[in-house]
């Protein structure tokens, strides 16, 4: 996850639902009405790179004397991709889950979310999911001939898993080629 | 009535091997054409330094560099010896091939045709081996240097940060060779110029730094210290002297004890076995040459 990592940049652009804890003048363009103030408790979808900072940095007390000083600008609401529905689907059958339709950068986002909130349960579920799916990916990569129609499983991979698949597949293919005809 | 005389036998063995060593070293002179040796290097070849061992060391350095996440210290003495040998071997081959042409010419003058062709075959094989071997050595050297340059590219900002840090144990000149240092300086200057002239000068002044670590994402990319690597536990470099870090288990096997910090777990690395391990756990052992990456 370096600074120049293109996948990381793309993953950071995913929108997360947030609720503003303050009324901030001039920020109305986040909601779509330019030039006006953003209201307290307004729900906005913010890209993660913005939401992550705003959820940590505290607002100033002058803007809202009632609020505590430590309260950050926005509160991150639980996103759709990590809802209990998805978690239950993962727990029941990681291999059958269509990760790509949930989000193309599912793992990257889930890892960021888990780091932000220190969510041990989420990490546990992700570990289980990755292990199960990796086995399936390896099966496909080791046996797979790319010529045929792509199986339904291949269409459910997220970006990280695609990279994993590509690397494994090329490794297996090159080894086989080297063994067969030097 | 078993008398253990193994140490006496070992004593005898050492005497005979001492004689053998001179024999084999003479033999090596004959077979230098097959090794990565050059004729001049025999003077430098003491007991510890030999062309064969140097080549093995180079292979280890090469593998470690290719597989490890960080830029390892540059083996200055080893590379200097290797490059000198390449040069000498190159000249050696040239000399031989010139002499070969001369003898061939003489034979053509007053030798029979079949005698000439048989010596032709005889002479060609060592030359062929020498050339192929030189190519092999040069490939490894090139691949090694290329791999290091790729890492210098990747971590150029990090290396610059290291250079500014005065409290470091290893200075940058130990980490990089002279040519690599120059490459690093000039390449980062060129890159900086490109970034500055295309984008950065349109930025507000406080956003113009390329090595800003205060922002939401760190711009200086450090090596992935906790990457998983395959390691082979080689054990101490010479079997004679005891290694203080080496411990002997209850079943007589030697192992190193390493600590995985984040799990608070101790792992025994048994000598002669293969593990998948986080790099920062085995880093010290790799630098000491007790463990190598595969």
């Amino acid at each position: 996850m370096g600074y120049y990592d293109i996948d990381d940049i793309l993953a950071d652009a995913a929108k997360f639902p947030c609720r503003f804890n303050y009324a901030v003048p001039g920020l109305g363009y986040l909601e779509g009405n330019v030039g006006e103030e953003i209201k307290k408790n307004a729900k906005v979808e913010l890209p993660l790179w913005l939401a992550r900072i705003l959820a940590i940095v505290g607002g100033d007390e002058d803007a809202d004397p009632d609020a505590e000083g430590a309260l950050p600008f926005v509160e991150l609401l639980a996103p759709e991709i990590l809802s209990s529905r998805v978690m239950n689907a993962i727990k029941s059958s990681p291999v059958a889950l269509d990760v790509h339709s949930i989000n193309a950068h599912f793992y990257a986002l889930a890892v960021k979310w888990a780091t932000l909130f220190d969510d041990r349960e989420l990490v546990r579920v992700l570990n289980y999911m990755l292990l199960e799916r990796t086995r399936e990916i390896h099966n496909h990569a080791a046996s797979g001939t790319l010529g045929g129609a792509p199986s339904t499983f291949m269409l459910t991979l997220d970006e990280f898993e695609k990279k994993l698949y590509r690397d494994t597949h090329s490794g297996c293919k090159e080894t086989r080629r080297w063994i067969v005809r030097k | 009535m078993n008398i253990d005389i193994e140490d006496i036998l070992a004593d005898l063995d050492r005497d005979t091997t001492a004689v053998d060593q001179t024999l084999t070293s003479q033999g090596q002179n004959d077979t230098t054409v097959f090794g990565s040796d050059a004729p001049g290097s025999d003077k430098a070849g003491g007991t510890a330094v030999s062309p064969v061992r140097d080549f093995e060391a180079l292979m280890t350095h090469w593998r470690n560099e290719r597989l490890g996440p960080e830029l390892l210290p540059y083996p200055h003495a080893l590379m200097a010896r290797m490059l000198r040998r390449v040069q000498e071997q190159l000249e050696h081959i040239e000399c031989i091939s010139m002499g070969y042409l001369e003898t061939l010419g003489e034979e053509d003058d007053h030798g029979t045709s079949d005698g000439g062709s048989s010596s032709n075959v005889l002479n060609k094989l060592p030359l062929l081996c020498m050339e192929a071997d030189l190519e092999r050595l040069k490939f490894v050297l090139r691949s090694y240097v290329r791999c290091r340059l790729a890492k210098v590219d990747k971590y150029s900002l990090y290396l610059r940060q290291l250079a500014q840090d005065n409290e470091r144990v290893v200075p940058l000149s130990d980490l990089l060779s002279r040519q690599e240092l120059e490459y690093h300086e000039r390449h980062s200057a060129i890159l900086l110029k490109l970034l500055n002239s295309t984008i950065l000068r349109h930025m507000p002044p406080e956003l113009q730094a390329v090595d800003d670590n205060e922002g939401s994402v760190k711009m200086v990319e450090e090596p992935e210290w906790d990457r998983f690597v395959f390691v082979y536990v080689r054990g101490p470099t010479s079997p004679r002297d005891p290694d203080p870090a080496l411990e002997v288990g209850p079943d007589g096997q030697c192992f190193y004890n390493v600590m995985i910090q984040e799990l608070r777990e101790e792992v025994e690395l048994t000598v002669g076995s293969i593990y998948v391990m986080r790099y920062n756990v085995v880093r010290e052992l790799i630098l000491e040459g007790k463990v190598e990456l595969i």
Side-chain angles (χ1 to χ4, degrees), chain A residues 1-4 8 12 52-53, chain B residues 157 195 210 216-219 221:
Chain A
M1 299 221 185
Y3 184 79
Y4 298 101
D8 195 43
D12 256 347
R52 185 173 45 201
I53 283 297
Chain B
L157 288 173
L195 288 176
V210 288
S216 55
V217 184
K218 283 189 172 188
M219 291 183 83
E221 192 175 351

Side-chain angles (χ1 to χ4, degrees), chain B residues 81-94:
Chain B
R81 282 202 302 271
M82 277 308 197
L83 291 176
R84 200 196 61 220
R85 274 188 206 129
V86 167
Q87 193 60 40
E88 284 172 353
Q89 181 75 341
L90 203 66
E91 285 163 13
H92 184 59
I93 289 177
E94 210 132 281

Side-chain angles (χ1 to χ4, degrees), chain A residues 15-21 44 46-48 50-56 72-79 112-113 116-117:
Chain A
K15 301 242 172 141
F16 276 66
C18 301
R19 193 177 63 221
F20 265 82
N21 288 327
V44 193
L46 293 181
L48 187 59
L50 184 59
R52 185 173 45 201
I53 283 297
L54 291 184
I56 296 170
F73 276 116
V74 302
E75 187 184 333
L76 273 170
L77 306 173
K112 283 172 198 290
W113 184 268
L116 211 56
F117 289 98

